[in-house]
Amino acid sequence: MKEQRISSSVIKRLPRYYRFLGELKKQGITRISSGELAARMKLTASQIRQDLNNFGGFGQQGYGYNVEMLYDEIGEILGLSSLTSAVMLGIGKLGVVVAENMDFKKQGFKLVGAFDVSEEVIGKTVAGIKVQNLSELEVFCKKHKPKAAFMCVPSSAAPELAEKLIELGVVGFWNFSHYDIRLKHPDVFVENVHFGDSLMRLSYKIKNS
Amino acid sequence: MKEQRISSSVIKRLPRYYRFLGELKKQGITRISSGELAARMKLTASQIRQDLNNFGGFGQQGYGYNVEMLYDEIGEILGLSSLTSAVMLGIGKLGVVVAENMDFKKQGFKLVGAFDVSEEVIGKTVAGIKVQNLSELEVFCKKHKPKAAFMCVPSSAAPELAEKLIELGVVGFWNFSHYDIRLKHPDVFVENVHFGDSLMRLSYKIKNS
């Protein structure tokens, strides 16, 4: 494996390869040529070969790719086999939707705690986890040492909370709030889900067509 | 303006520029140098100059960028000033969260209709719109001619629905379902919000650190 040298644009595409290969596996397909995979994914065969060469070149001339091997390897690179403990902050409507619609274990995480400040949700259960008062976060993190935080809080609450979580050992954020965590903390890992940015890009595409 | 030649990676960054410039405007900042904007956005000054040169080069040596002018121009390029009519499909928990948390008009859209198949939600109001039975979609679209659809339906319902919407004149999809609309319809515009892909990328970042 040559993970160290994988470019960020390849990383961006990895989950899509992983999903596609998972589909092929489900359909009982055991091997596939770069040409056919390209046709299914609407990419070029040469881009597929280039991308997948990053992972040790499982393709063989005249044979194609071994679907299961490639699927497992990409899953391994994505780090899905060992689960990172995560806490969810903010169990409002968005938090509940996210918690209940995701199969975190399939994506490499284990949700171990859920926190909110609202009396309305504290004590309720979401995705099998009892929602705790935010005031218990520190004690909880010192005990369970989560490495990741899912931020479903309003933007106004995000800066202080991010600060606190980083102090408590969190190194990665899945961030739904409109606060740019990396600006103040360039050393943490962040994946932003910015609904607004995505919608503006759609606006661009439609209007510049 | 030279929109035609703007690369897709610049387009990806545009909403972020737009948000940042909006913040600066709110703070009463009227002009900013590429160096200072770069420092705030954690980019390099040269990347900022390169990116913003695409929009007619508003920067002036020794003056910097006129914040309001640049903000307006980027908003214009993103097509935010004229609203695209959109329908929302699927008013489950996710649909409600999306509808109620977004200010669609700020992002270039006007929600004109909402549809579901569940008797539990039909007739209810979401984001000021009465939820209609999906069976009324065709008549509605022929009358109101929405150009965009927000897809908050389960993956299983997405293929048939996308097909129908395209027939009815929809050209752009904001897609939360796990169905790759462009594979069958490469000619429509799609912005996917893939929670799972985003979470897998976070897994990669944490585990390969």
Side-chain angles (χ1 to χ4, degrees):
Chain A
M1 286 194 289
K2 313 178 238 169
E3 286 118 280
Q4 277 69 20
R5 277 171 278 159
I6 302 176
S7 76
S8 69
S9 55
V10 178
I11 299 308
K12 276 210 176 136
R13 288 192 287 272
L14 272 191
R16 189 158 177 257
Y17 281 116
Y18 188 73
R19 279 191 286 117
F20 260 83
L21 290 161
E23 279 302 312
L24 294 176
K25 242 186 80 172
K26 260 194 217 159
Q27 293 163 27
I29 295 168
T30 56
R31 68 184 205 186
I32 191 164
S33 68
S34 52
E36 203 188 322
L37 188 55
R40 284 173 184 252
M41 294 184 71
K42 301 269 170 187
L43 296 169
T44 67
S46 111
Q47 180 170 25
I48 292 215
R49 281 194 298 268
Q50 227 171 50
D51 280 358
L52 300 186
N53 266 346
N54 284 291
F55 324 126
F58 282 107
Q60 280 173 36
Q61 202 109 47
Y63 177 87
Y65 294 99
N66 178 317
V67 171
E68 186 158 5
M69 223 162 140
L70 192 54
Y71 176 80
D72 290 345
E73 178 67 8
I74 294 179
E76 204 52 52
I77 292 168
L78 287 170
L80 308 185
S81 59
S82 72
L83 303 181
T84 299
S85 293
V87 285
M88 180 173 269
L89 289 307
I91 316 299
K93 284 180 182 171
L94 174 66
V96 170
V97 166
V98 171
E100 293 188 344
N101 282 281
M102 297 297 297
D103 188 349
F104 294 121
K105 285 182 185 170
K106 275 197 179 167
Q107 268 106 22
F109 291 89
K110 187 183 176 197
L111 189 63
V112 294
F115 296 86
D116 205 299
V117 290
S118 159
E119 291 296 337
E120 274 176 50
V121 291
I122 293 167
K124 287 195 176 164
T125 298
V126 63
I129 303 276
K130 201 169 185 182
V131 181
Q132 296 180 68
N133 193 314
L134 186 65
S135 62
E136 298 168 52
L137 180 67
E138 196 168 328
V139 171
F140 182 91
C141 287
K142 284 180 177 164
K143 188 172 171 196
H144 296 278
K145 301 189 170 41
K147 285 271 176 236
F150 304 159
M151 300 282 273
C152 299
V153 298
S155 314
S156 56
E160 197 186 330
L161 203 47
E163 197 77 42
K164 193 172 185 173
L165 287 159
I166 292 167
E167 272 173 31
L168 290 167
V170 165
V171 298
F173 289 86
W174 194 30
N175 182 33
F176 288 81
S177 77
H178 280 192
Y179 166 66
D180 203 335
I181 298 170
R182 274 174 64 87
L183 284 183
K184 242 190 114 179
H185 303 281
D187 44 336
V188 299
F189 308 107
V190 181
E191 271 291 320
N192 292 305
V193 183
H194 269 315
F195 291 167
D197 285 14
S198 161
L199 194 53
M200 284 193 266
R201 281 192 290 268
L202 181 63
S203 170
Y204 173 85
K205 289 176 184 172
I206 293 176
K207 276 142 187 168
N208 290 276
S209 62
Chain B
M1 285 196 288
K2 313 178 237 170
E3 285 117 281
Q4 278 70 18
R5 277 171 278 159
I6 301 177
S7 76
S8 70
S9 55
V10 178
I11 299 309
K12 276 210 176 134
R13 288 193 287 272
L14 273 191
R16 189 158 177 258
Y17 281 116
Y18 189 72
R19 279 191 287 118
F20 260 82
L21 289 162
E23 280 302 312
L24 294 177
K25 241 185 82 171
K26 258 193 216 158
Q27 292 163 27
I29 295 168
T30 55
R31 66 186 208 185
I32 192 164
S33 68
S34 52
E36 203 190 320
L37 187 56
R40 283 174 185 252
M41 295 184 71
K42 302 271 168 183
L43 295 169
T44 65
S46 111
Q47 179 170 24
I48 291 214
R49 281 193 299 268
Q50 228 172 48
D51 280 357
L52 300 187
N53 267 345
N54 284 291
F55 323 126
F58 283 107
Q60 281 174 35
Q61 201 109 47
Y63 176 88
Y65 294 100
N66 178 317
V67 171
E68 186 157 6
M69 225 162 137
L70 192 54
Y71 176 81
D72 289 345
E73 178 68 6
I74 293 179
E76 202 53 52
I77 291 168
L78 287 169
L80 308 184
S81 60
S82 73
L83 303 181
T84 299
S85 293
V87 284
M88 179 174 269
L89 289 308
I91 315 296
K93 282 181 183 173
L94 175 65
V96 170
V97 166
V98 170
E100 293 189 343
N101 283 282
M102 297 297 297
D103 188 348
F104 294 121
K105 285 183 183 170
K106 274 197 179 168
Q107 268 106 22
F109 292 88
K110 188 182 176 195
L111 188 63
V112 294
F115 297 86
D116 205 298
V117 291
S118 158
E119 291 296 338
E120 273 176 52
V121 290
I122 293 168
K124 286 196 177 165
T125 299
V126 63
I129 302 277
K130 202 169 184 181
V131 181
Q132 296 181 67
N133 194 314
L134 187 64
S135 62
E136 299 169 50
L137 180 67
E138 196 168 330
V139 171
F140 182 90
C141 287
K142 284 181 177 163
K143 187 171 171 198
H144 296 279
K145 301 188 169 42
K147 286 271 176 236
F150 303 159
M151 300 283 274
C152 298
V153 298
S155 313
S156 56
E160 196 185 330
L161 203 47
E163 198 77 42
K164 193 172 187 175
L165 286 160
I166 291 168
E167 272 174 31
L168 290 167
V170 165
V171 298
F173 289 86
W174 194 30
N175 182 33
F176 288 81
S177 78
H178 280 192
Y179 166 65
D180 203 336
I181 299 170
R182 274 175 64 88
L183 284 182
K184 241 190 115 178
H185 303 281
D187 44 336
V188 298
F189 308 107
V190 181
E191 270 291 321
N192 292 303
V193 183
H194 269 315
F195 291 168
D197 284 15
S198 161
L199 195 53
M200 284 193 263
R201 281 192 290 267
L202 181 63
S203 170
Y204 173 86
K205 289 176 185 173
I206 292 176
K207 276 138 186 170
N208 290 277
S209 60

